[in-house]
């Protein structure tokens, strides 16, 4: 019998300190004896290495780092590259994610490094950056009056918000105290929106985009809520397959982990999802993720073009929501209602209106094209492959926004059904909503919030070319304002929403003239005080002194 020749061990070319290389070699020998060949010099290679590892022991200039990585890419193409970074970092996280490497780890643990090597050799991607790898604070530039008022106000609101968040972790024993603190958080969120409403456009209208020294001013807090940078809690991505299916599996795993861990509300708004009990909330989110996965599989099996793909996507949304609702409620659960047992899932499905569409959901074509056909995604003005870290994070944000908005729609229908079914409240809702007054108050507040958002907030966001998205960040639901053209939606607004946008345009047009009038009035007041009143006071004082001198002389 002829024995097949065994595959040669993968060659790992390592650029690092000798002691660190020896430690890695011993660790790999324990994990996989004879499985890898660690080489420290290119002369020892037999052909092309299967992986290139570069450990940075000191900060490197960004331009030099990028140039060296380009050289490694050109010399050992298509070998994947693993870059090991020290702490703290001198480069922002969003810039690091654009580097031409397949692996990016910051101070990894030995087990984490071994797992990353296996993932990269299998054709995947690995990214793990700690929270300390956030963007360094820019040097402050001279601020104008509007900018100073905006920044100081936002800082005070943020300090108070952090204090309230700390008061809720752990939750207080008194339910009344918890409700008061949560109400304070909503009040601070409303105050922040009001502050941006008042001073945001005024800052743009009163200034010419330059500081006193003539240079461009640094972005202040007003621009922070529009940022699309990497979340400040760090980044951890493990992509085992660099395909459309592999990208979706990585996103699905991250979303399932977030749903299982529970999600706090950091949006500054009331969410109908908060009315569900933690178990039902988790079941609903997990059910939506599962239905999204099954829907992608159905679309993947079809051969439809882009128009048909979008048509099928929109047609299947109501069915998807109904399936998620049934999974959350339980297909075989029955509860008494008016003396008879009713199936909870069937009754909820028959009483809920799940065919309505959310106008704030972005167009699904970019997300579907990337997840189904591995089409490039436009991120920050660049077309990126779906397996790129920034593109994957963008896709995760789009999917999480779809997840939260659909969960909100279903939760609102569940709250409406629970209003006439007391037994259902014990099964689906939190304990504080068992009282009819609390449930109706929450529903009224949600309805008022929805009307305010539809009549005023949405026209403002359309006029400012912004879209409110929800993303999962550090175990919480966080808002993100994404800037994108929305002229077509703006033209379809009703007369009331058009009046809101007209008021905004009038305010922006009047602000420079108002500033000029105020400045001229200020100059006039200065002239009157110094030239007229000041001189008059001086003459009166001089006359008094002269009169006193004559009186003393006569005495």
């Amino acid at each position: 019998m002829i024995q097949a020749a065994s595959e040669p061990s993968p060659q790992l070319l390592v650029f690092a300190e000798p002691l660190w290389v020896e430690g890695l070699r011993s660790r790999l020998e324990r994990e996989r004896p004879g499985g890898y060949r660690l080489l420290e010099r290119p002369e020892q290679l037999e052909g092309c290495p299967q992986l290139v590892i570069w450990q940075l022991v000191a900060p490197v200039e960004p331009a030099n780092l990028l140039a060296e990585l380009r050289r490694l890419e050109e010399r050992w193409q298509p070998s994947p590259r693993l870059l090991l970074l020290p702490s703290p970092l001198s480069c922002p996280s969003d810039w690091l994610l654009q580097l031409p490497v397949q692996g990016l780890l910051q101070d990894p643990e030995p087990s984490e490094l071994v797992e990353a090597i296996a993932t990269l050799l299998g054709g995947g991607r690995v990214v793990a950056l700690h929270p300390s790898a956030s963007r360094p604070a820019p040097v402050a530039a001279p601020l104008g009056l509007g900018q100073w008022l905006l920044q100081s106000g936002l800082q005070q609101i943020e300090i108070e918000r952090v204090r309230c968040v700390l008061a809720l972790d752990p939750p207080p024993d008194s339910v009344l105290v918890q409700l008061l603190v949560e109400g304070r958080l909503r009040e601070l969120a409303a105050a922040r929106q009001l502050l941006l409403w008042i001073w945001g456009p005024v800052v743009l209208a009163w200034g010419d985009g330059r500081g006193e020294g003539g240079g461009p001013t640094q972005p202040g807090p007003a621009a922070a809520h529009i940022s699309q940078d990497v979340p400040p809690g760090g980044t951890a991505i493990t992509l085992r397959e660099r395909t459309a299916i592999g990208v979706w599996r990585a996103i699905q795993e991250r979303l399932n982990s977030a749903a299982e861990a529970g999600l706090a509300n950091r949006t500054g708004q009331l969410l109908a999802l908060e009315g569900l009990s933690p178990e039902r909330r988790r079941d609903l989110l997990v059910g939506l993720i599962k239905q999204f996965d099954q829907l992608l599989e159905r679309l993947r099996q079809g051969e439809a073009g882009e128009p048909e793909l979008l048509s099928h996507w929109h047609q299947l949304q109501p069915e998807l929501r109904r399936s998620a609702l049934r999974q959350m409620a339980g297909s075989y659960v029955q509860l008494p209602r008016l003396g008879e047992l009713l199936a909870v899932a069937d009754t909820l499905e028959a009483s809920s209106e799940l065919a309505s569409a959310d106008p704030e959901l972005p167009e699904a074509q970019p997300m579907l094209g990337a997840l189904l056909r591995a089409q490039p995604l436009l991120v920050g003005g660049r077309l990126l492959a779906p397996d790129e870290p920034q593109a994957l994070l963008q896709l995760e944000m789009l999917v999480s926004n779809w997840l939260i908005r659909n969960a909100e729609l279903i939760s609102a229908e569940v709250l409406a059904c629970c209003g006439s079914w007391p037994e259902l409240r014990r099964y689906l809702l939190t304990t504080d909503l068992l009282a009819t007054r609390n449930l109706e108050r929450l529903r009224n507040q949600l309805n008022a919030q929805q009307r305010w958002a539809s009549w005023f907030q949405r026209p403002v966001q359309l006029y400012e070319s912004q879209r409110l998205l929800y993303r999962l960040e550090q175990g919480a639901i966080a808002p993100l304002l994404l800037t994108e053209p929305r002229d077509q939606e703006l033209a379809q607004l009703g007369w009331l929403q058009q009046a809101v946008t007209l008021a905004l345009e009038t305010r922006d047009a009047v602000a420079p003239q108002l500033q000029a009038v105020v400045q001229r009035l200020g100059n006039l007041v200065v002239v009157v005080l110094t030239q007229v009143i000041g001189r008059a006071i001086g003459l009166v004082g001089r006359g008094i002194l002269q009169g006193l001198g004559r009186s003393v002389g006569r005495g």
Side-chain angles (χ1 to χ4, degrees), residues 164 166-182 431-432:
C164 293
L166 293 177
L168 293 176
D169 188 16
D173 298 333
S174 174
V175 178
L176 179 60
V177 173
Q178 182 176 357
L179 293 176
L180 290 175
V181 176
E182 291 176 351
T431 55
D432 57 326

Side-chain angles (χ1 to χ4, degrees), residues 28-272:
L28 292 177
E29 284 294 332
R30 290 198 303 269
E31 297 285 341
R32 185 179 173 184
Y36 301 108
R37 292 179 56 201
L38 260 65
L39 308 176
E40 301 182 53
R41 295 191 303 274
E43 297 81 10
Q44 300 173 340
L45 289 172
E46 297 178 1
C48 189
Q50 278 69 46
L51 178 63
V52 179
I53 303 176
W54 182 16
Q55 181 200 30
L56 290 181
V57 295
V60 180
E61 289 294 329
N64 297 336
L65 176 60
L66 182 59
E68 290 297 331
L69 290 174
R70 292 294 185 191
R71 294 191 187 97
L72 292 177
E73 181 182 19
E74 294 173 359
R75 182 172 182 181
W76 287 296
Q77 183 72 17
S79 300
R81 293 158 299 282
L82 172 60
L83 181 62
L84 306 179
L85 302 170
S87 291
L89 298 178
S90 58
C91 301
S93 298
D94 55 346
W95 184 85
L96 291 173
L97 294 180
Q98 303 177 26
L99 293 176
V101 294
Q102 288 71 37
L104 191 64
L105 302 179
Q106 180 187 0
D107 288 339
E109 296 293 334
S111 58
E112 182 182 4
L113 179 58
V114 173
E115 183 179 356
I117 291 175
T119 301
L120 293 174
L121 291 175
R125 280 184 178 271
V126 177
V127 175
L129 300 178
H130 301 329
S132 59
S134 57
R135 181 188 300 274
V139 179
L143 300 178
L145 175 62
Q147 290 174 319
W148 179 80
L149 290 174
L150 177 63
Q151 181 172 341
S152 60
L154 290 177
Q155 288 176 350
Q156 295 176 22
I157 291 175
E158 181 64 20
I159 292 174
E160 185 66 19
R161 188 193 69 82
V162 172
R163 187 179 304 168
C164 293
V165 171
L166 293 177
L168 293 176
D169 188 16
D173 298 333
S174 174
V175 178
L176 179 60
V177 173
Q178 182 176 357
L179 293 176
L180 290 175
V181 176
E182 291 176 351
R184 178 60 174 165
L185 286 173
R186 291 192 291 269
E187 178 184 351
L188 292 173
R192 185 179 186 275
Q193 294 179 357
L194 180 61
L195 196 61
L196 292 173
W197 168 275
I198 295 175
W199 287 111
V202 174
V203 171
L204 297 177
W206 284 20
D208 58 354
R210 294 181 176 273
E212 296 177 359
T217 58
Q218 299 292 340
H225 68 292
I226 311 176
S227 172
Q228 303 177 40
D229 291 344
V230 179
T235 307
I237 301 174
T238 300
L239 187 61
R240 295 177 177 84
E241 297 180 11
R242 298 172 61 182
T243 60
I245 297 179
V247 170
W248 164 240
R249 293 293 177 234
I251 295 175
Q252 183 182 17
E253 182 179 350
R254 290 164 61 89
L255 293 180
N256 277 324
S257 300
E260 292 288 347
L263 297 173
N265 181 12
R266 294 181 186 172
T267 63
Q269 300 178 350
L270 284 175
L271 295 179

Side-chain angles (χ1 to χ4, degrees), residues 501-518:
T501 60
L502 181 61
L504 287 176
E505 185 176 358
T506 304
R507 184 187 62 177
D508 295 342
V510 171
Q513 286 76 15
L514 180 61
Q515 190 266 347
V517 170
V518 172

